[in-house]
Amino acid sequence: MACLPLDRFSIGEIVCRKCSRRQNSKTNKCIECDTPFGEYHCQICNLWMTKSKSPFHCAKCGICRVGGRDNFVHCDLCCMCVSRSSHNNKSDNNNSSSTTTPQHKCIRDKYKTNCPVCQENLFFSRQSPQDLPCGHTIHSHCFRKLAGFDYRCPVCKKTIVPSASMSSAWNIRAREIALQPMPSELARSVSIICNDCEKKTGGLSWHVFGVQCPECDSFNTIVDDDDTYGGDDNISTTHTTTSITAASVASAATRPRTTTTLQEMGDLDNIM
């Protein structure tokens, strides 16, 4: 039978490991042998630990955090302690575009959810969360793994790399499409929805490498309708995504590689 998670807030008594004396949990030193239980002790969370990770208790979060109180500030709208440097550089600041410090976008209770990659609860996690430019959150270590093969937010699918940096990748993709047009028997006209600018455009030529958005030049698009066949649902679902995927690379193994990752572009540290 599996053990249930420990509710540390309901702990009333503890037992000294050295002398086995049972005593009240609101102490950090054994009442029998004077053995200290931890360098850091929180009577609210019933937590005993070393100070190597600079723990502190946040009254608004209701739990203890690590990383040093001076390095974090509690955001009342997000209901979470966030990095002081990113909180001071909110996205509505006038000078936010001239700094490389990650911006903090306030979204109510946005940390009271699970990481979209590992599904661990972000609010109670000991791993640091990462704010994406779109406003969604993800574990920092999960984001670095994701950046190895995708450049999009796993929730909303928006490109998380600045458009100026992605323009070179989009230009390369456009040149590949121009050099390798689709055969006449596979050519058709489609309507797309851009994940980046959220605009819908019709009458565009479909290509296995992707369909470029005429509004923002992004290839982060999905096929919405097949104009050639009058929007037949059976046809439009055949090729639903025009973004850079492993499948598109495999189907064009003899052609120049078309995938682009944050690590290859050198923009991972700018987002982190």
Side-chain angles (χ1 to χ4, degrees):
M1 182 177 179
C3 296
L4 297 176
L6 174 66
D7 181 9
R8 64 173 63 254
F9 297 99
S10 63
I11 296 176
E13 291 184 328
I14 58 175
V15 177
C16 176
R17 179 179 294 183
K18 185 175 182 179
C19 68
S20 301
R21 175 63 183 270
R22 184 180 295 271
Q23 54 202 290
N24 189 282
S25 64
K26 308 304 179 183
T27 181
N28 191 34
K29 186 172 63 172
C30 179
I31 59 176
E32 182 71 23
C33 63
D34 290 335
T35 300
F37 296 143
E39 295 177 357
Y40 172 83
H41 173 229
C42 178
Q43 295 186 359
I44 299 175
C45 300
N46 288 319
L47 180 66
W48 296 264
M49 62 181 296
T50 66
K51 292 184 177 180
S52 60
K53 294 186 177 181
S54 302
F56 66 96
H57 182 85
C58 176
K60 292 184 177 180
C61 285
I63 59 176
C64 288
R65 304 283 186 191
V66 295
R69 186 183 301 275
D70 294 339
N71 298 323
F72 292 87
V73 59
H74 185 89
C75 179
D76 292 327
L77 185 60
C78 298
C79 293
M80 180 76 165
C81 288
V82 298
S83 169
R84 186 176 297 275
S85 59
S86 63
H87 185 269
N88 293 340
N89 184 38
K90 290 186 177 181
S91 58
D92 57 352
N93 287 354
N94 294 330
N95 298 327
S96 61
S97 60
S98 60
T99 180
T100 59
T101 304
Q103 295 180 354
H104 174 72
K105 293 186 178 181
C106 290
I107 300 178
R108 184 172 298 279
D109 295 336
K110 72 175 181 179
Y111 293 103
K112 292 186 177 181
T113 184
N114 295 338
C115 172
V117 175
C118 69
Q119 293 300 305
E120 182 184 6
N121 186 277
L122 289 170
F123 184 80
F124 294 104
S125 175
R126 293 186 178 184
Q127 303 296 330
S128 59
Q130 169 68 43
D131 278 1
L132 299 180
C134 57
H136 292 114
T137 54
I138 183 176
H139 279 138
S140 296
H141 67 284
C142 290
F143 173 73
R144 289 190 174 275
K145 292 181 180 179
L146 180 70
F149 57 87
D150 202 354
Y151 58 91
R152 301 171 301 172
C153 169
V155 179
C156 66
K157 301 303 180 183
K158 288 187 179 297
T159 302
I160 55 179
V161 182
S163 57
S165 300
M166 284 301 296
S167 60
S168 59
W170 299 150
N171 291 336
I172 293 174
R173 177 62 63 85
R175 288 197 298 269
E176 291 178 354
I177 292 176
L179 293 173
Q180 304 176 73
M182 293 297 296
S184 58
E185 61 270 20
L186 295 178
R188 64 178 189 267
S189 178
V190 297
S191 295
I192 64 166
I193 296 178
C194 180
N195 288 326
D196 291 336
C197 68
E198 301 181 0
K199 298 291 183 62
K200 180 177 180 178
T201 309
L204 301 177
S205 298
W206 177 83
H207 197 282
V208 68
F209 284 171
V211 183
Q212 190 171 25
C213 174
E215 297 289 336
C216 65
D217 295 331
S218 172
F219 274 95
N220 185 11
T221 60
I222 57 173
V223 173
D224 185 54
D225 289 308
D226 194 310
D227 300 338
T228 304
Y229 298 96
D232 190 332
D233 291 338
N234 293 329
I235 300 297
S236 63
T237 56
T238 303
H239 301 281
T240 56
T241 178
T242 67
S243 59
I244 305 172
T245 63
S248 65
V249 178
S251 65
T254 59
R255 302 182 178 91
R257 189 179 60 164
T258 57
T259 54
T260 303
T261 67
L262 302 185
Q263 293 172 342
E264 291 170 338
M265 296 180 65
D267 284 322
L268 184 60
D269 293 333
N270 291 337
I271 297 176
M272 298 297 291

